[in-house]
């Protein structure tokens, strides 16, 4: 079982739609939950992170964590064509030999068409 | 956000040659940097952790004699792929946290695309 599972999609939605991206994880010791956006042939860009169960909003983006079910989500409201990219969930462990290391999901390819 | 650069952005080399990739933190000091590899349509896989002034730590399955890492200063880490082969062709990306307590804010470089012929 992979430590972080993410549906690779691809996901195609019309402009203005609400997008839901999801990941599950297996290690309950994970402490930070991150979302990155990666455009083709570019490095990942940090969108937001959270460390507790619940919701965190930043503009059109909402990150949601449910530690009891080991499930994290990213919601994008009013999606735009410029949101078309690969979205990566990543989980951070702060402890032991894995200190500071990010474990990534496979990434979901999102296309928002006009 | 903080800026991390990589050089070169792409490189093509012949099989058997060595290639050096640089990762620089431009506006902050990074005592730790991470090196990742990403194959097409796959996620990032951590290769090694680069520590300023000490040896790098490698993930299981990564050959440390093949992927040489040198973290010579607080703003520069280099990855040298020695005796490169076609199976080493990949997208190599580095990241750096902005401080010792900021692993949750790691910034990534733009990546280096390596093609080995």
């Amino acid at each position: 079982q992979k430590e972080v599972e993410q549906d690779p999609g691809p996901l195609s939605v019309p402009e203005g739609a609400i997008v839901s991206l999801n990941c599950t994880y297996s290690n309950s010791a994970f402490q930070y939950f991150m979302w990155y956006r990666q455009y083709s042939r570019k490095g990942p860009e940090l969108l937001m992170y959270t460390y507790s169960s619940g919701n965190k909003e930043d503009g059109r983006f909402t990150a949601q964590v449910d530690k009891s079910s080991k499930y994290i989500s990213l919601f994008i409201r009013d999606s735009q064509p410029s949101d078309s990219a690969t979205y990566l969930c990543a989980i951070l462990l702060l402890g032991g030999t894995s200190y500071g290391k990010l474990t990534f999901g496979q990434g979901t390819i999102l296309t928002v068409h006009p | 956000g903080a800026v991390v650069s990589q050089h070169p952005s792409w490189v093509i080399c012949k099989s058997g040659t060595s290639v050096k990739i640089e990762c620089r933190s431009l506006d902050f000091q990074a005592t730790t940097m991470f090196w990742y590899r990403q194959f097409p349509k796959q996620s990032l896989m951590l290769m090694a952790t680069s520590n300023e002034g000490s040896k790098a730590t490698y993930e299981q399955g990564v050959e440390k004699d093949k992927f040489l890492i040198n973290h010579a200063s607080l703003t520069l880490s280099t990855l040298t792929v020695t005796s490169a082969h076609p199976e080493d062709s990949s997208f190599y990306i580095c990241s750096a946290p902005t401080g010792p307590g900021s692993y949750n804010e790691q910034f990534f470089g733009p990546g280096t695309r390596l093609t080995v012929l």
Side-chain angles (χ1 to χ4, degrees), chain B residues 37 39 63 66-67 81-92 114-116:
Chain B
R37 181 166 50 183
F39 291 106
E63 300 174 60
K66 181 170 183 62
F67 299 99
V81 184
T82 61
S83 186
H85 288 92
E87 58 266 29
D88 298 323
S89 298
S90 188
F91 194 49
Y92 292 85
L114 170 64
T115 301
V116 184

Side-chain angles (χ1 to χ4, degrees), chain A residues 11-31:
Chain A
L11 191 58
S12 181
V13 302
E15 183 175 357
I18 297 174
V19 176
S20 172
L21 304 166
N22 309 294
C23 290
T24 58
Y25 63 95
S26 58
N27 187 346
S28 58
F30 284 131
Q31 294 174 273

Side-chain angles (χ1 to χ4, degrees), chain A residues 49-113:
Chain A
Y49 67 87
T50 185
Y51 56 87
S52 59
S53 284
N55 295 345
K56 180 179 180 180
E57 277 192 34
D58 185 359
R60 295 185 295 112
F61 298 89
T62 299
Q64 186 177 80
V65 175
D66 182 345
K67 287 190 174 183
S68 63
S69 58
K70 299 189 182 71
Y71 196 85
I72 65 173
S73 301
L74 178 71
F75 298 97
I76 306 174
R77 291 185 299 279
D78 188 25
S79 57
Q80 303 295 311
S82 58
D83 294 328
S84 299
T86 297
Y87 289 80
L88 297 153
C89 63
I91 304 182
L92 179 67
L93 188 61
L94 294 175
T97 58
S98 297
Y99 196 94
K101 297 178 185 175
L102 287 169
T103 302
F104 283 88
Q106 189 175 352
T108 300
I109 300 170
L110 172 67
T111 301
V112 181
H113 50 85

